[in-house]
Each structure stands twice: as structure tokens, then as C-alpha cells.
Amino acid sequence: MGRKNKRGGKRVVPSNRNEKYGEQRNYTLTERKNESFEHYYKTQQIMPESEWNSFLETCQKNLPTTFRLTGNSSQAREVLKLIKGQYFSNMSNIELDGVPVDPPKCLQWFPNELAWQLNYTRSEIRKSETLKELHQFLVSETETGNISRQEAVSMLPPLVMDIKPHHKILDMCAAPGSKTAQLLEQLHSDESIPVPEGFVVANDSDNRRCYLMVHQVKRLSSPCVMIINHDASTLPNLILSQGPNGVEYVKYDRILADVPCSGDGTTRKNPDIWRKWQPGTAMNLHGLQIRLLKRGLDLLNVGGRLVYSTCSLNPIEDEAVIADVLTTCQGSVKLVDISSSLPGLKSAPGLTTWKVMNKKKTWYEKWEDVPTDYHTQMRPSMFPPTPEQANSLNLQQCIRILPHYQDTGGFFIAVLEKNADCNMYAQKTENKVISDTVTVTSIEDETVSKVENENGTDNVKEKQSDNLESKEVLTENKESKLEKVEIVPEVSNKKERRGESPPPLKKQKLQGYKEDPFIFLKDDNEDVFPHIKKFFKLQDDFEMSNLFVRCDIGKKRNVYFSSAPIKNLVTLNEDKIKFINLGVKIFSRTDSPISGCPYRLSQEGTEFIFPFIKERKVPILAEDIVTLLSQENPYIFKMSDEPKAILSDMDPGAVIFVYEPKNLESRPQCCLAICGWRGKTSCRSFMPKLERSHYLRLCGVKLQEKETKTRNEGAQTEKESEQAEDLVPDEEEDVTETESDVQEGTTDTEKDT
């Protein structure tokens, strides 16, 4: 009898009996052509006509791979030396099938040569051993967070934000997190400040994408970031501090609004856009983009800077959004000229005039020309301002990155600076409201319009019926026409009463799993902090209240650390927003009978706890790093003289191995801290495999040669063991004793591990 599947059915037989299971089948590649796309952007004149053919040819090519070096500046410089000396230096004369391969190209506009471009296909990598080694190196370093593979134009927004260590930063639409990681790197740019005063709030409305962002951000091990899950257009006012003088709400110094868009600037990496592109996509997103930008400016501090960016070339999503919001702000917000802030970057100025196309491919230059039938598809805000208004708004100070300029994707960036407070939600209505308590809110209208455009009118009714916090009434204006207006509930917050920050229309429904609580330690947590403070001799200025755990009963497996502002945001806003992740793991529980503390250090948080620890520090040399990371449990006598003496006089338990370069010729030229363990007779490090590889490379170890040497040593040891077996005496007592010794040694090693 034949085997049946799990449900009891018969095995499915292919209709074509000559077809084999697992056989590769040919498939048709997406044709990189769209007549509507070409007609649309030719008409919009986003570039001179002489550049059109070059633009279109570039858009139809695959996008080169780009990456940047991450981490603190000293380690990034060491990785740059490594990659230049060990990999790039061997790639100048590579030929494949008689054709020279382009060498790696440095992105001129990225500071300190920390961003590079590679133009190799997978087949080329498989053919060249040198390219294969480079590829393996990039994959390994990416997993450890020392290299970030990121599209070139995606690196631009954080570079024009001018971030300082004390800035409060908001990333409104942060997933998947590559730009958030870049913001964190700039926040930690001063290595003399391990825990900056500022922080990053990374938000995304998609619950699943928030967890993808956790993986990206956690590689940087920063205590100054938290990830939240909320609709960015209705982000609540978060409380930063609360005391006798009142409540202080967060106003951000820097905000990144990399808003959802049609993405037609990414045709080089997403060929499917060629097939799906249509002008109506931009119209559906236009209202959402305006709401996001308005809310971002409302949360921005006076004197602060907001960067608005899209990966779209469409002026409906770019200049039209900027023009509408600047008109609403009436001079309280201005555009910043960034055309010269990144030397070496080629860009086009923002447009001052454009046209709008409906679904039937009819063009309109002014809102007054649009037939009434299309008023539900188009909005006045989609159309360009008058020439006089365009000059006063300085729309040409926006920049548009076109793919054929520097072999990149398409992108749009506008930098806005807030000079004074303003009401982003002032209504532009001709009819007067009868009562002061009755107002018309634009957010609900735009939300309903977005739902209508995306899901049809049936969902609009559901949206309106779900809004339990507001009531609709009918009032009669002077012309005896019925008008729908909304009664907004009274707000207790003074700032919200002034109109600076309208409350959310309704409480957002929680998505995904319910997160474990963030429980910050207090004085009564005697089972956690006292042991740690006594064992590691923590300084008195270390704030115990910045430590937290994720469970309130039983043994605390892990202890995490966050900065003071992040702690305040969590404890004061638990009922306002969903927190996904924050802090770094700094201690892990290890109930070892030989240690005087039930917790050991975690590599993730070593950099931040290191300045506060007085004892359990062991200075080491580069050769000791190689010994620690290339062997699982090296004996203490294998270490160099100074660490060997210190470890011999130290009680068993957790330690920090500290490397500092002795002179300018030492390698590496950066400080390293490795969390480890001092056992009875041996020591070890607690570090993931890929991170070990990173540290070994910094010490000049070529891992391939090291692996070969290790295999040879293993073969030699096995050969010696075989020879030793021939010399074992025949007496039963001696044989039994030898086996007992071997078993005992194995047990000790496993315990030490």
C-alpha cells in the first residue's frame, strides 16, 4: 500500500506524468516597462528632456548592493581598515570570463568613507573565490550589527537631521528599522558619553513589522531606544516627567517622517512595481501623508527639525504635501536648504509646478478645472500653489534623488524647521460654526476618505459607527443647508485645549501578543540588586531604578537596563500606548554553587555597565582575546602574565575582560570589553559565535587559516591518542583508572562550560 498524507488522503499525482517533483520550472520575468509610468513622468517634467533616456535605462537595471559600517566610531574605523586591507585590496584585478569586475565604490557623500557600493551578481560571486570570501564576511558582520546592508538613498534622511547626544528623537514610521539604527548611531557618536541624555522613540503602526524592527535595533545594544506600536497620525502626547510643578509632555527635537508611499522610486529593487503602477495609488496615500506630517510638526519642539521623506518620485506625494502643510502653518514652519550639506551628492531641486491626472488619464492643472464627479478622488491640496505662493514657500529647497545621477534608487527629502507654535488642525471652512463647543475636525474626514478610497463605502459606515467618543449633529447654516459637524469631547489637558495636540479620535485597538510588563526595580527588590551591587562593587551614582525585569513573580532570569528618560516614558504612559521593546540585557541569572552572586554579566550591556563597576575587571592583551575566543574553556595559566595573576587571586564568578591599546602600533586601536567567567581552574567568555569572529578579525586573525589550523591540531591530537592507546598496560585496574580519569575530566569541562 502507498503512503498516505497526514489527513488520510491519497498522494497527489502530477497531471503530467513526465513532470518530476522538485524540478526547476521556467518563469517569466516581470517586464520592466509601463507606458502609463513613462507618460506620467515625462509630462511632470521631473528632469530635463535630454536626461529622460538615461533615467529610464537606469530604472530598468538592477540596483547595486550598498552597505555602511555601524557601531561606535573607533570600532568602525578598525573594521574599515580590515575590509580595505584584507578584501578590497585583492579586488582590483579580478576578471570573470575575461571581463574586468568593477571594484568597490565608496559613496562620496557619506562621512568618513563608511558607506560602500558593490555591483556584483550572485553568479559572479559563485565564480570568484575572492568575491565569495567578501560575501561571507559581509553576511557575518551584518549579523553582529557591525555592517548594515541598506539602500544608498535610504541612508540620506538621518544624515541631514543634525543629531546631537541630548536630542529627543521620534521615528514615526520606523519599520524595518535601518534608519532607526542610523539615528541611534548618531545619538551615540560621542564615545565619552556611554548613556546619552537623549533618546529615540521608534514607532510603527504594523505590529508584525515592529518585531522585525526589534531584531534590527537590538544589534546596536542601546539603552536609549524604545519601540512602540501605534498609528503615527494619532500619536498621543507622552508624559516625560510629573512633579509638583506639573506635567511635562514630550516635545521632540528631531523627527523623521519616512511616510508610506507608492514606492515608484524603488523600481530597480522591486520590479513588480512596473506591472502594478498607476497614478491613483499616490492619490490614495496623499491624505495619510498630510496627516502624518501635521502630527509630526505638532509634536516637534520649537527650533526643532523634521525630515519628510518618501521613496516616490510623484509630486502628489512630495511637493504637494509639503506645500499644503506649509500653507496651513502660515510661516511658523519653513524649509531648510540642504543642497550643499552633503558634498558629492547629486540631486534635483523640488518642483514648483505640476499636474494631476485622474484614473481616466485626464490632466488637470487647477482644482477649479476638476469636474464635480471627480471631487471624491481629488483634493485641492494635490494641486500646485500659485507662482507667488510657490516662491514664498521655497519648494525648490526640497531635493529629489533621481536614479541615473549616481546609480541609486529614487528618493525625495524635505527638511522642515519649526520657528513657532501653530495650530496644525485649524479649519478652512467658509461656514461659521454656531456654537464655540462645536468644531469640525479634519482628521476624521481624511480618515474616512482614506478608508473610502482603499476599502469602499461599506467600511466607511463601519468606521463612522465605531467612533463612540464623538457624536454627529445636524445644524442649519444661513443658506438653510444641512451640514454635518462633530462635537469633540472636552479635553482636560491645557495644551490640547489650545489646539496644539488634538486627542485621538478613539482608543487604538491593541494588535498582536500582549507584552510582558516592564517592572522597574525598587528598594524592596532585595533578591536582585543587593547581590549584584555587592559582588561587582557598583558605584553609588549608579541608578538602580533604571534596571527592570519582565516578570513580577518567581526568579528573575534577566535584568535589563534603560536610560532615565526611557524609564519615565514607560512608567508614566503605560495606559496610553503599547510598548514592544526597550532597554538592553545587562545581567543574566546563573545559579552557580561556586559564585558569590546569582547573576553574571551579559555581553549585550557590558559597554554601559563597565564604567560603574569597581571590581571584577581583568586587563588583557590582544593575544588573550585570541585565547579566550578561539578556545571554549582555556586554563588560566594560558593567559598572559597580568591577567593570569589577577585571575589567580580572584574568587570564581563573572568578570569583565578589558582590552585597551597600549600604543599606536597596537592592534586593534579601540577599547574592547568582553564579559566572561572565572572558573575553578579555567576561564571563558560569554559571546555568540559570530561576535567572536568579529573580535578575532579585529585582532588580526584570519579565520580561514585559524579553522584549518584547528582542524590540523584536532587530527594531531587524535593521532596521539591512538598511539597512547597502544601503550596502555593490560592490567584491568590501570585501564579502569584511566577511564575514570577521562570521565571525570569530561564532567569538569561540562560543568565549567
Side-chain angles (χ1 to χ4, degrees), residues 697-712:
R697 290 191 186 102
L698 292 182
C699 295
V701 177
K702 294 185 178 180
L703 295 183
Q704 291 181 338
E705 296 179 2
K706 185 70 178 175
E707 291 172 358
T708 304
K709 183 179 178 181
T710 303
R711 284 196 297 267
N712 293 337

Side-chain angles (χ1 to χ4, degrees), residues 135-264:
H135 176 72
Q136 292 172 351
F137 167 78
L138 294 178
V139 170
S140 174
E141 293 295 310
T142 300
E143 286 297 319
T144 59
N146 297 291
I147 284 178
S148 179
R149 297 180 64 184
Q150 184 179 358
E151 189 178 349
V153 291
S154 177
M155 305 177 192
L156 290 170
L159 294 180
V160 296
M161 294 181 71
D162 189 27
I163 292 174
K164 307 297 181 187
H166 64 276
H167 281 161
K168 298 182 284 291
I169 307 165
L170 170 65
D171 192 349
M172 299 184 71
C173 310
S178 56
K179 297 183 186 68
T180 307
Q182 207 172 339
L183 297 175
L184 276 173
E185 293 166 32
Q186 296 186 33
L187 187 71
H188 289 275
S189 58
D190 190 346
E191 295 182 71
S192 62
I193 308 175
V195 184
E197 181 184 349
F199 56 86
V200 175
V201 176
N203 173 71
D204 201 87
S205 60
D206 192 317
N207 183 260
R208 289 176 296 178
R209 285 167 62 87
C210 283
Y211 292 100
L212 294 176
M213 182 165 48
V214 170
H215 174 71
Q216 180 86 334
V217 173
K218 294 295 282 184
R219 295 184 304 168
L220 297 177
S221 301
S222 172
C224 305
V225 60
M226 70 178 185
I227 297 173
I228 59 176
N229 177 210
H230 204 279
D231 179 4
S233 64
T234 58
L235 271 176
N237 296 321
L238 299 182
I239 301 174
L240 183 60
S241 63
Q242 192 170 8
N245 297 328
V247 176
E248 179 187 358
Y249 290 88
V250 178
K251 286 289 185 179
Y252 300 94
D253 302 300
R254 297 290 186 269
I255 294 180
L256 175 58
D258 186 49
V259 300
C261 63
S262 61
D264 57 15

Side-chain angles (χ1 to χ4, degrees), residues 294 297-298 325 328-329 332-333 418 422-426 499-500:
K294 283 184 176 180
L297 287 171
D298 190 43
V325 173
T328 303
C329 294
S332 61
V333 177
K418 188 173 181 179
C422 67
N423 185 2
M424 299 292 167
Y425 305 94
E500 295 178 13

Side-chain angles (χ1 to χ4, degrees), residues 428-621:
K428 301 175 183 178
T429 56
E430 297 179 358
N431 298 326
K432 294 182 180 180
V433 181
I434 295 177
S435 172
D436 292 338
T437 61
V438 181
T439 59
V440 182
T441 59
S442 62
I443 292 183
E444 176 68 11
D445 295 337
E446 292 174 354
T447 304
V448 171
S449 177
K450 176 178 180 291
V451 175
E452 181 177 337
N453 287 333
E454 294 181 354
N455 303 325
T457 56
D458 293 339
N459 287 341
V460 176
K461 296 177 181 179
E462 295 177 9
K463 176 73 178 177
Q464 292 172 340
S465 63
D466 285 343
N467 190 355
L468 302 179
E469 296 181 4
S470 61
K471 299 178 181 179
E472 288 184 351
V473 297
L474 294 177
T475 61
E476 190 172 354
N477 61 16
K478 293 182 179 180
E479 298 177 0
S480 300
K481 293 182 179 180
L482 292 179
E483 177 189 10
K484 278 190 176 183
V485 297
E486 185 176 328
I487 299 178
V488 180
E490 209 171 319
V491 183
S492 59
N493 184 353
K494 293 182 179 179
K495 292 188 177 182
E496 293 175 351
R497 285 178 181 173
R498 291 200 299 266
E500 295 178 13
S501 304
L505 295 174
K506 65 177 183 178
K507 189 174 181 180
Q508 176 170 307
K509 294 181 180 179
L510 295 180
Q511 304 177 22
Y513 298 102
K514 183 179 180 181
E515 289 293 323
D516 292 331
F518 299 89
I519 304 172
F520 285 84
L521 301 188
K522 299 178 181 179
D523 294 335
D524 56 355
N525 287 84
E526 297 295 335
D527 61 331
V528 177
F529 187 68
H531 296 291
I532 295 173
K533 184 175 182 179
K534 179 181 178 181
F535 188 75
F536 293 100
K537 296 293 190 293
L538 293 180
Q539 296 179 4
D540 294 334
D541 59 346
F542 179 76
E543 286 293 336
M544 178 265 303
S545 59
N546 292 338
L547 299 177
F548 66 92
V549 295
R550 301 300 302 273
C551 60
D552 54 354
I553 57 174
K555 292 183 178 180
K556 314 300 186 294
R557 291 184 56 190
N558 298 309
V559 181
Y560 302 85
F561 173 74
S562 72
S563 64
I566 293 292
K567 171 212 167 185
N568 292 339
L569 287 172
V570 174
T571 55
L572 297 175
N573 300 278
E574 291 177 327
D575 58 337
K576 284 189 171 186
I577 209 159
K578 182 178 182 180
F579 297 95
I580 300 295
N581 198 281
L582 57 105
V584 294
K585 184 167 67 173
I586 203 163
F587 296 107
S588 294
R589 191 173 188 93
T590 172
D591 294 319
S592 173
I594 63 173
S595 174
C597 178
Y599 289 90
R600 67 168 179 83
L601 292 163
S602 172
Q603 182 66 31
E604 183 180 337
T606 301
E607 179 181 348
F608 305 103
I609 194 65
F610 171 74
F612 300 100
I613 293 180
K614 295 180 181 179
E615 294 190 2
R616 312 295 299 181
K617 294 181 180 179
V618 181
I620 57 175
L621 303 176

Side-chain angles (χ1 to χ4, degrees), residues 322 326 333-337 393-395 397-398 414-416:
I322 299 297
L326 288 178
V333 177
K334 68 174 184 179
L335 278 166
V336 179
D337 187 5
L393 297 177
N394 296 318
L395 291 179
Q397 291 184 350
C398 305
V415 180
L416 302 169

